[in-house]
Amino acid sequence: MRQSLFAIFACLVGCLLGCAKPEEKKGVDTPEKQTGPKQTIGVSLLTLDNPFFKVIGDNITAEGLKHGYDTIVVSGDKDVAKQSNQIKDFIVKKVSAIVLSPCDSKSIIPVIQEANAAGIPVFTVDIPCNEPGVKIATQIATDNYGGGKEAGQAMIEALGEAGGKVAVLHFKQAESCLLRVKGFTEVIDAHNASSTAKIEVVAELESSGAKDMGYKAAEDSLQAHPDLRGIFAINDPAALGARAALEKANKTQQVQIIGFDGQPEGKQAIKEGKIYADPIQFPDKMGIQIVDAIIRHSKGEELPAQMLIPTSLYRKADAEADPELK
Amino acid sequence: MFLVLVLLCAFFSVATFSEQSPTGEAAAKQLASVIEQQFGSTPRVLIVAREQPGDSEFASSLEQKLVTSGAKVHAVVKGEPRDAREALVKISSSGEQLDVIACTPAAAAWLVFSDLKNDFPMLDNPQIVKPQSYRWPNFLKAANVLNIANQIAVIAIIAIGMTMVIITGGIDLSVGSLIALSAVLAGLFIRDYAGATNASAIGMTSACVAAILICGLIGAFSGAMITLFRIPPFIVTLAMMLVGSGLAYLLAKGESIYQIPDSFVWLGRGASFVNLPNAVVLMLVLYGAAQVLMSRMKLGRYIYAVGGNREAARLSGVPVRSVLMFAYIASALLAGLGGVIMASQLKSGSATYGNMYELYVIAAVVVGGTSLSGGEGEMCGTLIGALTIAVIQNGMNLTNVESYTQKVVLGLVILGAVLLDKIRHGE
């Protein structure tokens, strides 16, 4: 009995560990690379819970495969100690490039320095690490400043001739959101200088980029400004939280929402008219661009310090034509 | 339990058996003789390597050997693909030609060399040569073995205290939060009182000791609640887990504290004793001490006695309350030490550290054969348990298992390991 249980256990462990994919099995060898060990890209993203990062990871894997790279995608789970260990494992494995979105731009420095010392190029995606003493091949991110400008345009378009009071649901800890709001206010200011239909930003409230906080912040600003006409939320969850507050206050006709991101839930809300428009990000393009940057780096080309991917404004008409939405 | 660890190591050795790229002196010697055989004694050579200790040694040593044997070395590139391209452009534009480009294995894979015929037609189609590779498991490389030990040091050190607490029949859920609290406190003290990035060794040491002692105080508080008011340890330490984490976030204001001198990484990343990382040495010393305490000293016997049967222990004159207090204080102090090590490894303190670590620590203790009902357990077992978890995590990273699958596998292997142990002991 004991032996048989042991055997079952051994099989179980064997099967489970069989999930491990030996690298030889994956990918197609291009002729010039058959001579050496397989080229691998190690990717550690902030979290894979967020579809945004999942899409980045999937696209790096797919695009890498086309060019003969194996890709390992792991989730840092917003835990910088865990992410550091993942990077250290990549270094031991001698991957040919490391892609990461740092869980903490400061605490990740030592391990990036280790990768630098091992001669492995490091690419950052979405979240930068602009710290002294680390060498980053290039940073790939959404053009948040440009996206903020688009959001400003959308707000002007949504409010039309009347103009009116606008609230911003902010997330000030995030560099990217600061840029979004900066672009937004610049466009609004420029508009006010030339037009009679003034748009006044009356409140900038913290939303943490989350639904519950966005809901509270929108509720509070409706109390303070009953004649509010527009809300710019720095991401989709905050925008959807604000929408819930509008529904509760029965002000969905009076107040227009501009979001940001273009996550599936946000796109669906645009289709249903709950959000007026979103400047959307393109995580798929980011993934493809990263692989392109890795190849260009390996070819010895000069890379810019930062590669920005522009956003594009997504309105109801785009949502109705979007095949991904039911 | 040791058997499971050995099995896992064997499995991952086989699974990570792959081609290794040699660099350094030996590779240079081998490649020099290959070049001489294939291209005669006066080839025109470009040497390319990455800017990295092993590669760099390879390049210098190869250059020296080739020059002595009469070859013409046009340039030695130590850097990135871009530097290689620059060198190729320079050689090509000066009208020179190349017979051979000698690369380290990593550099040979650079795409800059993928289409030399079309990109640099003037070079006379040089051949790319690199040192012969050999096969060896990634898992068993010395660097990786140290890597594993270093990665688990924090969990293993905290598991010492947890083993004691669990042997007394209790549990300590607050250790993960204490890691964060201690890392933040150490960072704060260094930043605000020891002179930030100019802090002296004494300043940093006192900051760390203070942080650890404050964690010890929290442990003493938990111990007091448990012994004086008889509140179950699960509830007391659950409360302290929330308190500790909240305090860490409050003190750090949600940011990471990074104004810390470079020398602070000595504890977490230095290796001053025969190439062993300092954190690993510290871990081994603490395990030695804990083993002696538990098996040779009166206090150790008392800890087992309290966990085995508290009433019997009390009646036979064991100071039950003091023993319990000792266990919780030790656990908190060690968690504080773990936090300091983590702060040192990452050269910053942040309230996000140590999230869920209590569960990994408890898993290490349980996989190591300690009974959750108290009275039973060994320090060596806990060390093996911690290593088992580290080996599984590291092995899965090396064999490209993606994150979600890793969690499932880790959970099942922990369960399987304990099951196997039960079966072998005939229960």
Side-chain angles (χ1 to χ4, degrees):
Chain A
M1 181 59 189
R2 219 186 278 174
Q3 268 83 5
S4 65
L5 272 175
F6 183 85
I8 291 167
F9 172 75
C11 292
L12 185 69
V13 170
C15 293
L16 285 173
L17 298 176
C19 308
K21 303 165 197 126
E23 32 191 308
E24 284 79 12
K25 283 183 199 158
K26 251 177 35 180
V28 270
D29 269 344
T30 46
E32 75 265 16
K33 288 199 200 72
Q34 267 168 349
T35 45
K38 198 90 173 67
Q39 299 283 293
T40 309
I41 306 172
V43 185
S44 173
L45 298 171
L46 177 69
T47 165
L48 291 175
D49 302 342
N50 187 334
F52 178 77
F53 288 100
K54 182 92 175 76
V55 172
I56 293 179
D58 291 349
N59 277 279
I60 297 177
T61 311
E63 186 70 12
L65 201 58
K66 281 189 214 159
H67 295 94
Y69 286 97
D70 268 343
T71 309
I72 315 166
V73 181
V74 291
S75 166
D77 288 340
K78 299 185 185 169
D79 175 352
V80 68
K82 183 171 180 182
Q83 189 170 45
S84 298
N85 285 345
Q86 291 167 342
I87 307 294
K88 282 182 188 168
D89 288 339
F90 288 156
I91 296 172
V92 168
K93 219 172 135 54
K94 297 199 170 156
V95 296
S96 39
I98 292 174
V99 178
L100 82 161
S101 39
C103 294
D104 181 326
S105 306
K106 298 286 190 307
S107 304
I108 202 70
I109 296 173
V111 73
I112 295 185
Q113 285 168 338
E114 267 180 55
N116 288 157
I120 300 174
V122 178
F123 300 77
T124 52
V125 57
D126 191 47
I127 306 161
C129 179
N130 300 321
E131 306 299 329
V134 301
K135 207 165 75 183
I136 304 290
T138 188
Q139 145 77 4
I140 291 163
T142 294
D143 180 4
N144 286 302
Y145 173 68
K149 284 184 161 181
E150 284 187 344
Q153 293 294 351
M155 184 60 86
I156 294 166
E157 186 184 302
L159 298 192
E161 295 299 313
K165 291 181 177 175
V166 169
V168 173
L169 301 188
H170 213 326
F171 180 33
K172 283 187 180 154
Q173 282 100 311
E175 178 76 29
S176 55
C177 296
L178 291 174
L179 288 171
R180 289 172 193 178
V181 174
K182 184 167 173 251
F184 179 81
T185 27
E186 277 182 21
V187 166
I188 298 291
D189 289 348
H191 166 81
N192 286 345
S194 65
S195 163
T196 47
K198 303 275 186 233
I199 295 176
E200 189 192 353
V201 178
V202 290
E204 244 185 51
L205 297 171
E206 185 57 43
S207 72
S208 305
K211 269 190 195 170
D212 49 349
M213 291 294 288
Y215 174 81
K216 266 195 218 158
E219 229 176 16
D220 291 349
S221 54
L222 282 175
Q223 292 300 324
H225 309 281
D227 52 346
L228 198 72
R229 294 250 13 243
I231 291 177
F232 169 45
I234 46 68
N235 71 1
D236 279 340
L240 290 164
R243 171 73 192 188
L246 294 184
E247 282 167 6
K248 185 173 168 239
N250 246 332
K251 293 201 169 168
T252 52
Q253 295 303 316
Q254 177 195 324
V255 185
Q256 298 287 352
I257 302 174
I258 310 292
F260 207 106
D261 268 0
Q263 294 178 2
E265 197 183 0
K267 285 183 175 173
Q268 187 65 40
I270 292 173
K271 191 178 178 186
E272 291 161 8
K274 291 179 174 173
I275 297 177
Y276 180 78
D278 260 17
I280 55 170
Q281 311 197 63
F282 296 97
D284 49 344
K285 282 190 195 161
M286 290 168 97
I288 292 168
Q289 185 96 36
I290 289 162
V291 176
D292 183 55
I294 291 171
I295 292 169
R296 282 173 60 193
H297 178 271
S298 179
K299 280 190 176 160
E301 286 176 36
E302 191 94 30
L303 293 180
Q306 198 180 37
M307 296 176 163
L308 292 179
I309 312 238
T311 55
S312 118
L313 207 54
Y314 187 93
R315 301 180 181 84
K316 196 170 182 194
D318 301 298
E320 272 159 2
D322 195 334
E324 284 172 27
L325 297 179
K326 282 168 265 161
Chain B
M1 197 41 56
F2 192 62
L3 180 72
V4 176
L5 183 58
V6 172
L7 279 176
L8 281 168
C9 289
F11 174 80
F12 283 121
S13 301
V14 175
T16 61
F17 196 69
S18 64
E19 213 153 329
Q20 300 295 330
S21 329
T23 53
E25 181 92 34
K29 201 170 160 189
Q30 184 242 330
L31 195 58
S33 68
V34 169
I35 292 175
E36 202 173 333
Q37 273 170 27
Q38 284 185 10
F39 302 93
S41 61
T42 56
R44 295 158 295 181
V45 187
L46 169 69
I47 299 175
V48 184
R50 291 180 303 176
E51 197 173 0
Q52 180 229 24
D55 279 26
S56 186
E57 190 192 342
F58 165 84
S60 315
S61 150
L62 182 63
E63 180 189 14
Q64 199 195 351
K65 288 195 170 64
L66 288 176
V67 169
T68 18
S69 74
K72 177 160 171 25
V73 177
H74 274 289
V76 180
V77 176
K78 291 179 190 173
E80 297 194 353
R82 197 179 347 144
D83 305 306
R85 176 169 289 270
E86 269 169 28
L88 288 171
V89 168
K90 206 171 140 197
I91 295 169
S92 175
S93 62
S94 65
E96 306 269 1
Q97 290 173 335
L98 282 175
D99 293 317
V100 54
I101 301 178
C103 298
T104 55
W110 289 350
L111 296 174
V112 62
F113 304 123
S114 62
D115 201 5
L116 287 173
K117 238 186 238 172
N118 291 326
D119 289 353
F120 301 98
M122 304 296 288
L123 286 178
D124 195 23
N125 196 21
Q127 298 289 307
I128 309 277
V129 295
K130 59 179 180 179
Q132 204 169 20
S133 56
Y134 60 97
R135 293 181 76 79
W136 181 256
N138 269 334
F139 179 80
L140 283 186
K141 284 196 292 196
N144 190 48
V145 174
L146 287 181
N147 191 14
I148 295 174
N150 208 16
Q151 285 180 9
I152 202 64
V154 170
I155 286 178
I157 287 175
I158 300 172
I160 295 175
M162 186 68 82
T163 309
M164 294 181 193
V165 169
I166 291 182
I167 289 176
T168 65
I171 192 104
D172 187 352
L173 297 178
S174 66
V175 290
S177 300
L178 291 183
I179 292 177
L181 182 60
S182 159
V184 165
L185 283 172
L188 268 184
F189 289 148
I190 292 175
R191 186 184 71 184
D192 297 345
Y193 303 109
T197 46
N198 300 317
S200 63
I202 301 173
M204 285 189 280
T205 316
S206 357
C208 294
V209 170
I212 295 171
L213 288 179
I214 291 176
C215 289
L217 278 179
I218 292 186
F221 180 77
S222 307
M225 287 288 142
I226 292 161
T227 51
L228 298 179
F229 300 102
R230 298 215 154 226
I231 307 176
F234 187 93
I235 294 165
V236 173
T237 56
L238 180 70
M240 295 323 287
M241 171 175 111
L242 296 172
V243 170
S245 170
L247 279 178
Y249 273 103
L250 277 177
L251 290 168
K253 302 194 176 70
E255 293 169 348
S256 65
I257 299 164
Y258 56 92
Q259 296 88 342
I260 290 174
D262 285 341
S263 50
F264 186 62
V265 302
W266 178 84
L267 179 63
R269 299 205 291 143
S272 20
F273 181 68
V274 288
N275 267 338
L276 281 173
N278 292 332
V280 175
V281 174
L282 182 61
M283 172 182 90
L284 294 175
V285 169
L286 286 171
Y287 267 94
Q291 177 67 24
V292 171
L293 172 79
M294 294 304 278
S295 57
R296 306 246 171 252
M297 290 168 70
K298 201 157 78 178
L299 180 58
R301 297 287 102 197
Y302 283 173
I303 290 176
Y304 282 107
V306 169
N309 186 333
R310 183 184 294 201
E311 197 51 29
R314 193 182 65 82
L315 292 174
S316 25
V318 174
V320 173
R321 283 184 177 173
S322 319
V323 169
L324 284 176
M325 284 296 282
F326 171 82
Y328 286 95
I329 292 173
S331 173
L333 287 173
L334 288 166
L337 178 61
V340 167
I341 294 173
M342 194 177 276
S344 165
Q345 282 174 342
L346 298 168
K347 220 191 97 185
S348 54
S350 160
T352 58
Y353 295 174
N355 186 19
M356 300 273 283
Y357 269 48
E358 55 279 348
L359 296 184
Y360 287 110
V361 170
I362 294 170
V365 175
V366 173
V367 168
T370 299
S371 157
L372 273 179
S373 44
E376 251 183 275
E378 295 280 343
M379 280 297 162
C380 309
T382 298
L383 181 58
I384 290 171
L387 286 175
T388 307
I389 289 174
V391 162
I392 296 169
Q393 285 182 327
N394 170 270
M396 285 195 295
N397 277 348
L398 293 186
T399 45
N400 304 1
V401 180
E402 57 98 29
S403 296
Y404 296 148
T405 322
Q406 288 200 4
K407 281 190 182 169
V408 176
V409 175
L410 187 61
L412 290 175
V413 172
I414 289 172
L415 194 60
V418 176
L419 180 68
L420 179 63
D421 207 42
K422 290 268 179 229
I423 295 165
R424 288 188 56 236
H425 287 94
E427 282 176 35

